[in-house]
Amino acid sequence: MRTQVAIVGAGPSGLILGQLLHKAGIDAVILEAQTPEYVLGRIRAGVLEQVAVDLLDEAGVGSRMHAEGLPHDGFDLLIGGVRHRIDLAGLTGGKRVMVYGQTELTRDLMDARAAAGLKTVYEAKDVSVHDFGGTRPHVRYVKDGAAHEIDCDFIAGCDGFHGVCRASVPKNAIANFERVYPFGWLGLLSETPPVSEELIYAKTERGFALCSMRSHTRSRYYVQVPLTEKVENWSDAKFWDELRRRLDPQANERLVTGPSIEKSIAPLRSFVAEPMRFGRMFLAGDAAHIVPPTGAKGLNLAATDVRCLSRALIEFYAGSEAGIDRYSARCLRRIWKAERFSWWMTMLLHTFPDTNPFEQRALDAELDYVVHSLAGRTTMAENYVGLPFED
Ligand code: APR
Ligand code: PHB
């Protein structure tokens, strides 16, 4: 088989890229190790910056997001029992974010791909990438016991943090930058109305908590837990009890509890691989970088990577290599700003088990400064809604 772009991974990065290339008349095949149901079963954040919303419109998959997504103009920081609103729209000249679950977005992308008759190979096993250092790369995989090979012009590594593409790059050609945090987020999804119209990020002595939502009837809550915790040890009742202890009386009065639909613990990590291009193979999304979820940047970075990659590939087929040559540097500039923001939000809002008392006081003072200073709140708002995209 032959295609122009072989995309590895059918998460948001691979699916959005596939859609953008299709709109531009560039042929692509997606290889995904899992089943569609498995991909849809992963519960992840869903706060979209305006750049991501615009990109989904451009990809032709924005209609349900506009109908069912919830535009948010601000969020609350709850610090030591006191609320401070971050007025996103007021502080950024009217910018806002869109709350729309990644599961729904993935479903829209899958439906659009199927409707356009585009090829996705699910349950593609033993995917391997070859000869991306030359001009004729190819990808091999096994499907239903039979071996296949795809010749292509380019390989797009959209296969997430544990994927095969980054792992196939020679060690001396790639540098990794990493920070692992000594805690995770225990998340619970429930068919209950959200406790508040807007998200609440809470810092307490018992640890961080977040009140988020998927719709007017479905809520997503998180509490910070030590990495040693096991989800089996958290009954729904224990989760709700711990969440209550981290909220204020106003939230507790409104909190509606109910059985969990999903409950899991996710460790927090910051990670960047440099560069993101290796000859004719590009990394995009979680394959190249991970942010802790505190700033809600993961999906947005995936979207801006593939925005940049799709434009670079379109330029290549129109006769210029300038875009593919600049891909890595352009993406990394934006990625590092989101990495910095996510790390900063994480440092400010969590309880660290072994922090030096001086540093803990300094972080507390920084958070106090941020919420009480217009400049501080503006910095937080500007980063949260997404920094402008530099074309
Ligand atoms: N072969 C084929 N597919 C693979 C392989 C492989 N060897 N390894 C991984 N995959 C698939 C995974 O099964 C997954 O469906 O690649 C996909 C990668 O998807 P994601 O992990 O969702 O990564 P990405 O598309 O970059 O999306 C980033 O996900 O983690 C969140 O916060 C993050 O919202 C952001 C988004
Ligand atoms: C979520 O809704 O899952 C969510 C929202 C905001 C975050 C992280 C996760 O910062």
Side-chain angles (χ1 to χ4, degrees):
M1 196 198 312
R2 207 200 123 69
T3 187
Q4 288 173 292
V5 184
I7 301 175
V8 185
S13 303
L15 289 169
I16 300 172
L17 179 63
Q19 210 56 30
L20 293 170
L21 293 179
H22 169 63
K23 291 268 162 198
I26 298 171
D27 186 49
V29 171
I30 304 186
L31 301 177
E32 165 59 51
Q34 306 291 343
T35 62
E37 296 71 33
Y38 181 94
V39 173
L40 284 173
R42 293 187 296 229
I43 308 292
R44 281 152 169 193
V47 177
L48 298 172
E49 298 173 3
Q50 189 62 48
V51 227
V53 169
D54 292 345
L55 190 71
L56 294 165
D57 282 334
E58 185 187 319
V61 293
S63 59
R64 198 162 67 97
M65 167 185 68
H66 287 291
E68 297 177 18
L70 307 171
H72 281 212
D73 287 337
F75 63 84
D76 271 344
L77 288 173
L78 174 60
I79 300 159
V82 181
R83 297 236 196 163
H84 305 270
R85 184 163 186 267
I86 301 296
D87 177 2
L88 294 174
L91 292 162
T92 63
K95 293 191 184 152
R96 38 176 34 188
V97 292
M98 176 76 94
V99 173
Y100 187 60
Q102 187 169 315
T103 307
E104 301 311 316
L105 176 62
T106 306
R107 196 189 306 278
D108 296 343
L109 285 158
M110 283 177 171
D111 290 350
R113 191 162 176 84
L118 303 173
K119 189 169 170 74
T120 313
V121 181
Y122 283 97
E123 298 181 86
K125 300 301 171 198
D126 302 333
V127 174
S128 58
V129 291
H130 305 271
D131 293 343
F132 45 85
T135 51
R136 302 189 56 193
H138 53 278
V139 180
R140 297 197 186 119
Y141 66 98
V142 173
K143 169 75 182 174
D144 298 329
H148 299 267
E149 184 162 317
I150 304 180
D151 294 321
C152 55
D153 299 331
F154 295 101
I155 298 169
C158 299
D159 49 349
F161 184 64
H162 300 286
V164 67
C165 293
R166 191 181 74 250
S168 303
V169 173
K171 292 276 169 292
N172 60 3
I174 191 165
N176 297 332
F177 300 85
E178 185 168 44
R179 163 114 207 213
V180 177
Y181 301 87
F183 42 73
W185 280 15
L186 168 63
L188 180 146
L189 186 69
S190 65
E191 206 61 51
T192 53
V195 69
S196 165
E197 305 263 287
E198 296 186 339
L199 271 60
I200 304 172
Y201 289 82
K203 177 178 183 160
T204 77
E205 285 184 353
R206 300 182 67 86
F208 171 80
L210 170 61
C211 305
S212 182
M213 65 196 72
R214 292 290 174 271
S215 69
H216 292 303
T217 56
R218 187 173 277 204
S219 302
R220 180 72 167 163
Y221 297 103
Y222 299 93
V223 292
Q224 173 189 350
V225 292
L227 275 179
T228 46
E229 280 297 340
K230 298 265 172 291
V231 71
E232 306 82 75
N233 297 336
W234 285 83
S235 64
D236 291 354
K238 183 172 168 188
F239 179 94
W240 293 119
D241 183 51
E242 185 57 39
L243 180 66
R244 276 184 194 289
R245 288 164 177 245
R246 300 186 191 191
L247 299 180
D248 57 352
Q250 185 191 339
N252 279 329
E253 232 167 73
R254 288 193 50 184
L255 181 67
V256 181
T257 63
S260 61
I261 308 172
E262 195 264 1
K263 204 164 39 183
S264 54
I265 296 180
L268 270 67
R269 180 195 301 270
S270 295
F271 173 87
V272 182
E274 294 185 3
M276 291 166 62
R277 176 196 177 187
F278 306 89
R280 290 210 165 204
M281 181 167 81
F282 304 91
L283 302 180
D286 278 17
H289 43 76
I290 296 287
V291 283
T294 327
K297 290 287 169 235
L299 182 55
N300 293 297
L301 283 181
T304 44
D305 286 357
V306 298
R307 179 185 193 271
C308 192
L309 183 54
S310 64
R311 280 157 176 65
L313 293 171
I314 292 166
E315 258 180 71
F316 175 86
Y317 287 111
S320 162
E321 297 203 11
I324 59 172
D325 288 343
R326 282 168 51 227
Y327 171 72
S328 180
R330 280 186 72 199
C331 287
L332 283 165
R333 205 170 156 210
R334 185 177 177 83
I335 288 158
W336 273 111
K337 293 200 183 88
E339 289 282 345
R340 184 208 69 84
F341 176 64
S342 308
W343 161 79
W344 179 70
M345 284 275 276
T346 303
M347 296 299 291
L348 288 182
L349 295 175
H350 290 76
T351 308
F352 283 75
D354 298 317
T355 315
N356 159 325
F358 177 89
E359 282 169 14
Q360 191 57 60
R361 290 278 197 284
L363 282 169
D364 291 346
E366 182 165 358
L367 188 54
D368 194 35
Y369 161 74
V370 167
V371 298
H372 289 105
S373 142
L374 178 61
R377 289 194 304 278
T378 306
T379 294
M380 185 166 275
E382 186 184 30
N383 282 275
Y384 195 88
V385 299
L387 296 172
F389 198 89
E390 295 146 28
D391 265 312

